[in-house]
Structures are given as C-alpha cells and as structure tokens.
Amino acid sequence: MTLGMLASQFATQDIEDGKSVDKWKLYRALCEARPLLGVTDRALAVMSALLSFYPKDELSETNGLVVFPSNAQLSLRSHGMTEQTIRRHVAVLVEAGLIVRKDSPNGKRYVRRSGGGVIDEAFGFSLAPLLARADEIEHLAAQVTAERLHLQRLRERLTLCRRDVSKLIEAAVEEGASGNWEMVTTHFRALVTAIPRTPTAIEVTTALDEMEMLREEIVNQLEMQIKTKNMNGNPFQNDRHIQNSNPESSSELEPSFEQKLGKIPEGEQVAPAATTDELKRVDHRTLGGAKPKNARGEQAHSMTPARMKAFPLALVLQACPEIIPYGSGGAISSWRDLMAAAVVVRSMLGVSPDAYQQACEILGPENAATVIACILERAGHINSAGGYLRDLTRRAEKGEFALGPMIMALARANGNSVRRVG
C-alpha cells in the first residue's frame, strides 16, 4: 500500500451516479494517453485482457467493476505472458492508478453469489479507478493527439523549407549568381545534419527557424542582385528612395557615430571620394528650387545614393578587421567578398533583410556593407543593430550622415594612424 494507491481508492468513491463509458473506447484513449500516464505497452496488453473479462461493453457501477480471472486465463488473454510478467505489469497499472486490487482473505480471486446466481461480492481487480478517471484519460489522449499533429505539421514545413533552400542554392549556382555559395551549402548541410533522427517539437521548431532564416537570406541576396541590375539598367530609378513609415527604435546610438555633416573633429580629413564639401553639393533643381530646413531653422542638404561614393577597400578593412574572417576562406580581397560577408554578418547581428535592403538602396551596396562592418566592430556597444542601421540610413537620405567620421573613429580605436587617403 502506498499513498498513491490510497488516493486511487478514494477517487473511486467520487464516481457520479449512473456514469458509464464504453470500455473499448476508453481503452483506445488510454493507449493514446500512454506517454503521459507512464504505462508501458505490455501493461496495456494486460489491461486489455482484464477488460475482456468484464461481461458488459459499458463500464458502470450497476454491473459491478471487479473482474476475477484466474492466472491461467489471464495468461492466455495476455498473449501467453508468464505469471511473473503479469504480476509485474499489474503492479504498473496499480501504481499508475488505473486499477485497484481487491484482495480476498486468502489472497485468491473469486466471487460469491446468492441463491439466484446474483453476485454478492467479488475479489480480484477493480476497474473503478479507470471509470473514475475516464474524463481525464480522454483529455490526455486529446492532448497527445494535438501534440502529434502539431509535430507532424512542423516536420512537413521543415521538409518543404529544406527543398526550397536546396533548389534556391542549385538555381543560384547554375545561374552564376555572385556569392559564396559553397559556404551557404556547407551551412545548409550543417543544419540538416543537426536535426535528430526522432526530433521533438522544440527541436523541429528550432531547426525550422534556422532553415527559414537561411532561405530568407538566400532570397534576399538574389533579390538584391536582381534589383541592382535593374537599377543599373535604368538611371531614372536612382532617384527613388524607400522610407519605412514605422522605423525601428534607435534611441541608444553610439555617441562617436552621432557626428553629422560639418561636425568632423578638427585635424581629421576624409578621403576625397567622400569629403564634406562633396556631400553638401546638391543640385537644387531636384528640390524644386527650395531647400528644406532642419530643427534649428538652418538649410539642410539632401543627398542621393549616387553622391555617396565608396571608400577604398583597404581603408575599410583597416578600420574594420572583425569582418575579415567572415569572407570567403577567411579573407576579403574585393568588394564582392565584403558584400557577401556583410550579408552573413547582418543576419548574425539580427538586422532584418528590409533594413539592409533599404541601406543598400540609399547608401549603395558597398557603403551598406561598410556600415555593417562598422557596426560589427562596435556590436558590444549597440543594443539594436537593426535600429541603428535604419537611423543611419534615414540620416544619410537627409544628407546628415557621412561615413568619414565613423571610419576614422574606428581606425583610431584600432590604433591606426590615418592622415589622408587618396
């Protein structure tokens, strides 16, 4: 006797009057809820044998709830289990609170009948706990079924996502799209290999999130290349800007990167390709003859993507060496390598594809990759890399941001002396 067994016996006293349930329907629910009840499949086989000795299809107190088969008959209906094995699995059913032993004075299982053949008292195994917990068992069975269907749908989504990624990589390689597709393929295979043979719902969800992120990266990279080709083929599209009406918050920006045009520290000079004077020169005809004003009433300057030229690659890598290991083979030798590495880094930093695409369109692909490299250098000091990038893009569109101070600050922080780059 244990406290659990005693609790099961108390539960049998709370059976509603007139309650009945189909024994085989309840047994099927019991099999479904087996993982949550902690019973084995062999124990359920013994339960099936015990239910077969119940004379009615409906379990109810009216018909009695005690079965009293002999060991020999119970062994036959349990597919030939030995008596020792049956006793072990009966103990599991008792411990799980599904049946209760009703022992006779001599420990035997038998029944006493009246003169008319009516059962007065029976000694054996009581199925009362099973009837008392019928609603609970059906609820657990429904829960297990729902979890199984959820897992099945997750696995289906993961399978479809895996196919999409495989086809996208194959298409990119066949079409000769720029990018380190060997590294992408290696990452894809690593994700597939990490999936367990029999994964849980949590493991499948994690794998699905990573696979969908990889698919989004590939689609975004291919889409950017297509849009870049279209923009290069139609010069009228260079004046189009995309502005997010609901930008991410960027309230905590690094102070050293907050310098606007006209506020470059004394003694520092930027490369001629991106000098302050160049950034301030604007064709006022594109503004309809009017100059917008800033918060202090001063005339502000606008800037198109064509005005912001890229800095020399050597200077960018000198100021931002942290991005070099993300290049193809752990090195960056061209702007294409830097832009491919920036796509990997922006995902690692949590920058959305939309924010990065907007930066490419406003700053240009090379400068957007340079900004990502700069953010990587100071990632530990920036809470929201995505919000930071959006803020810089928005300020660049208004002509209030230059790459020079940012690169010079990082070069100074890395101990490099940069006087002038030609």
Side-chain angles (χ1 to χ4, degrees):
M1 176 63 67
T2 64
L3 293 179
M5 297 177 187
L6 190 61
S8 299
Q9 293 183 11
F10 289 154
T12 61
Q13 301 175 4
D14 298 330
I15 299 177
E16 300 176 1
D17 294 337
K19 182 178 182 179
S20 64
V21 63
D22 186 289
K23 64 179 182 181
W24 296 120
K25 181 180 178 180
L26 181 59
Y27 176 73
R28 286 191 293 271
L30 187 63
C31 293
E32 196 72 54
R34 180 178 66 85
L36 300 180
L37 292 172
V39 294
T40 62
D41 53 347
R42 300 293 299 278
L44 289 178
V46 175
M47 174 62 78
S48 176
L50 291 175
L51 289 174
S52 68
F53 287 103
Y54 192 77
K56 303 291 184 179
D57 289 335
E58 296 286 331
L59 285 177
S60 65
E61 288 187 302
T62 305
N63 300 321
L65 293 171
V66 178
V67 292
F68 39 88
S70 65
N71 289 336
Q73 291 298 319
L74 189 57
S75 176
L76 288 175
R77 297 195 187 185
S78 300
H79 310 291
M81 286 187 190
T82 63
E83 293 185 10
Q84 183 178 2
T85 303
I86 290 175
R87 284 196 295 270
R88 185 169 65 251
H89 292 306
V90 165
V92 172
L93 295 174
V94 172
E95 185 176 356
L98 299 175
I99 62 174
V100 173
R101 287 189 178 93
K102 187 177 181 181
D103 294 332
S104 64
N106 60 4
K108 302 293 184 179
R109 295 189 287 274
Y110 60 88
V111 62
R112 290 193 182 125
R113 301 180 184 272
S114 63
V118 179
I119 297 177
D120 286 338
E121 192 170 10
F123 299 96
F125 301 106
S126 174
L127 303 175
L130 192 63
L131 178 61
R133 300 180 61 185
D135 295 338
E136 175 192 355
I137 293 172
E138 291 177 354
H139 175 74
L140 293 176
Q143 179 179 343
V144 172
T145 302
E147 291 176 354
R148 185 177 65 250
L149 292 177
H150 176 62
L151 177 60
Q152 180 180 349
R153 293 190 181 97
L154 287 175
R155 299 186 68 167
E156 290 174 352
R157 287 177 57 192
L158 179 59
T159 299
L160 293 175
C161 190
R162 286 173 56 181
R163 292 177 185 173
D164 290 345
V165 172
S166 178
K167 292 178 181 178
L168 286 170
I169 295 176
E170 182 180 356
V173 173
E174 290 181 354
E175 296 292 333
S178 62
N180 191 348
W181 298 111
E182 182 178 354
M183 182 178 65
V184 174
T185 303
T186 302
H187 181 46
F188 170 64
R189 290 176 179 173
L191 292 180
V192 174
T193 305
I195 302 174
R197 188 177 184 86
T198 55
T200 63
I202 297 178
E203 292 171 334
V204 175
T205 301
T206 302
L208 178 60
D209 290 342
E210 294 178 351
M211 195 69 68
E212 287 180 339
M213 183 178 298
L214 177 60
R215 180 178 61 184
E216 183 181 2
E217 293 290 340
I218 297 174
V219 171
N220 180 64
Q221 185 171 351
L222 296 177
E223 185 178 3
M224 283 175 55
Q225 294 185 31
I226 295 174
K227 289 186 176 182
T228 301
K229 291 180 181 179
N230 292 337
M231 292 178 65
N232 292 337
N234 186 359
F236 295 102
Q237 294 182 355
N238 289 337
D239 291 332
R240 295 177 59 188
H241 304 302
I242 299 176
Q243 186 169 1
N244 194 334
S245 61
N246 185 22
E248 298 177 23
S249 172
S250 55
S251 57
E252 298 184 15
L253 304 177
E254 186 179 9
S256 62
F257 288 174
E258 291 282 343
Q259 301 171 14
K260 299 184 179 180
L261 292 178
K263 294 187 179 181
I264 302 176
E266 184 178 356
E268 291 187 357
Q269 300 182 31
V270 298
T275 61
T276 304
D277 292 335
E278 283 190 31
L279 293 174
K280 287 185 176 181
R281 288 199 295 268
V282 179
D283 185 356
H284 301 309
R285 290 173 296 176
T286 61
L287 301 177
K291 297 182 180 180
K293 295 185 177 181
N294 56 24
R296 295 176 296 179
E298 300 173 349
Q299 289 182 337
H301 299 279
S302 179
M303 174 178 57
T304 64
R307 288 291 182 183
M308 181 173 283
K309 299 179 182 179
F311 279 74
L313 180 62
L315 173 61
V316 174
L317 297 180
Q318 185 182 12
C320 309
E322 292 292 335
I323 200 171
I324 296 178
Y326 294 93
S328 177
I332 294 178
S333 58
S334 64
W335 279 109
R336 176 176 294 183
D337 292 342
L338 179 62
M339 288 187 287
V343 172
V344 177
V345 171
R346 78 99 185 143
S347 175
M348 182 185 70
L349 294 175
V351 177
S352 67
D354 178 69
Y356 187 61
Q357 177 182 340
Q358 186 179 12
C360 289
E361 293 175 351
I362 302 300
L363 303 173
E366 294 86 356
N367 288 325
T370 301
V371 172
I372 290 294
C374 293
I375 294 176
L376 177 63
E377 287 292 320
R378 304 306 301 271
H381 303 277
I382 301 175
N383 292 335
S384 174
Y388 190 20
L389 179 62
R390 285 189 186 276
D391 181 76
L392 295 181
T393 303
R394 185 167 56 249
R395 287 163 52 188
E397 189 175 20
K398 296 178 180 179
E400 299 176 350
F401 166 69
L403 273 173
M406 177 182 288
I407 295 178
M408 296 301 175
L410 287 174
R412 201 168 53 244
N414 289 329
N416 299 319
S417 176
V418 181
R419 295 181 179 177
R420 183 177 181 84
V421 179

